[in-house]
Amino acid sequence: MDENKEALLRLLDEFQNKKILVLGDIIIDENNYGEAMGLSLDSPAIKLKHLKTDISQGGAGNVVKHLLELGAKTSFITLVGEDQFSDFIKNWKHPNLNLFALSEPERKAIVKRRFWSGHYKILELEHLEICDMLQETSEKVLEIVKNEMNNYDVIIFQDQVHGFFSNDLIEKLKELTKGKIVLANSQTYLKPANH
């Protein structure tokens, strides 16, 4: 077997011994699949016959899904609202997942709805909630990180720039996690990264 391949397989096996803490915005990815039936009579819109709808965790949730697939014991601190999509997030179960879904009553889940005809995405409709979390929620995040961080090998800040990471929270997290392995990643299509 190739030496590089063996090294890669060893690294993948070691994920089962890793404990990782992830912080960030979760997004609900809703993909609606249909079959084109022609154009609507009253507008130039394509009519689709609905085939199926898939709902999954996106954003920072996508990072968590991949870590769980690799076998890592993963804790996830995220922010949700009080709606049916937030319930989908709160009910996420996995034997290696420790979920801290912090809720704010006025907040709605971030949902990205995509509509597909065959392999072509014909429309994306985004329900965005782009505002900083409440101060009391930010304090809960810091309290959880303070209590949990010594249990983890790595901490990941996955910033989708939807409000989880305020500049103030980033500064406090940087101070709190000094000496730990911290990885930061930011999606920047809405506004610049703040880490």
Side-chain angles (χ1 to χ4, degrees):
M1 187 184 285
D2 182 290
E3 197 176 297
N4 290 333
K5 189 174 181 181
E6 284 182 20
L8 178 61
L9 290 173
R10 271 196 310 276
L11 282 172
L12 291 174
D13 283 343
E14 288 175 13
F15 259 96
Q16 295 178 26
N17 302 319
K18 296 296 179 194
K19 295 178 180 173
I20 301 173
L21 176 61
V22 179
L23 294 84
D25 304 292
I26 192 167
I27 295 169
I28 297 293
D29 286 332
E30 180 186 287
N31 288 290
N32 297 280
Y33 298 94
E35 185 179 288
M37 296 173 22
L39 294 176
S40 172
L41 295 177
D42 57 355
S43 71
I46 297 172
K47 290 175 72 173
L48 296 177
K49 176 184 175 189
H50 182 262
L51 298 175
K52 67 175 183 172
T53 299
D54 291 332
I55 300 175
S56 63
Q57 299 87 355
N62 200 35
V63 173
V64 171
K65 280 192 307 188
H66 290 302
L67 292 169
L68 293 171
E69 279 297 312
L70 289 167
K73 291 175 178 53
T74 308
S75 286
F76 181 29
I77 305 172
T78 194
L79 183 58
V80 298
E82 295 290 343
D83 56 14
Q84 66 187 36
F85 287 104
S86 295
D87 290 341
F88 172 78
I89 297 164
K90 292 175 196 173
N91 293 323
W92 186 7
K93 304 286 185 238
H94 187 284
N96 285 351
L97 175 64
N98 185 17
L99 178 64
F100 297 92
L102 304 178
S103 181
E104 292 183 350
E106 299 300 316
R107 188 173 290 272
K108 302 253 186 286
I110 301 161
V111 181
K112 296 193 177 181
R113 286 193 167 101
R114 298 172 184 96
F115 295 86
W116 299 81
S117 176
H119 297 293
Y120 297 98
K121 180 169 53 171
I122 58 173
L123 177 67
E124 183 162 336
L125 182 64
E126 298 189 355
H127 301 261
L128 300 177
E129 185 81 11
I130 306 174
C131 58
D132 289 347
M133 70 172 76
L134 300 173
Q135 183 62 37
E136 63 194 55
T137 310
S138 186
E139 287 168 11
K140 284 181 192 172
V141 170
L142 292 167
E143 184 180 331
I144 294 167
V145 171
K146 187 176 180 181
N147 292 335
E148 296 284 323
M149 71 177 187
N150 290 327
N151 299 325
Y152 297 96
D153 304 306
V154 176
I155 301 170
I156 299 174
F157 300 163
Q158 177 60 40
D159 189 7
Q160 303 303 127
V161 197
H162 289 308
F164 187 94
F165 290 104
S166 65
N167 290 335
D168 181 57
L169 181 59
I170 286 284
E171 290 307 313
K172 289 177 179 172
L173 284 169
K174 282 167 50 177
E175 186 63 33
L176 189 59
T177 58
K178 270 187 183 165
K180 298 294 287 182
I181 297 172
V182 177
L183 306 174
N185 182 43
S186 186
Q187 177 177 298
T188 57
Y189 86 99
L190 288 172
K191 55 186 192 176
N194 59 2
H195 66 273

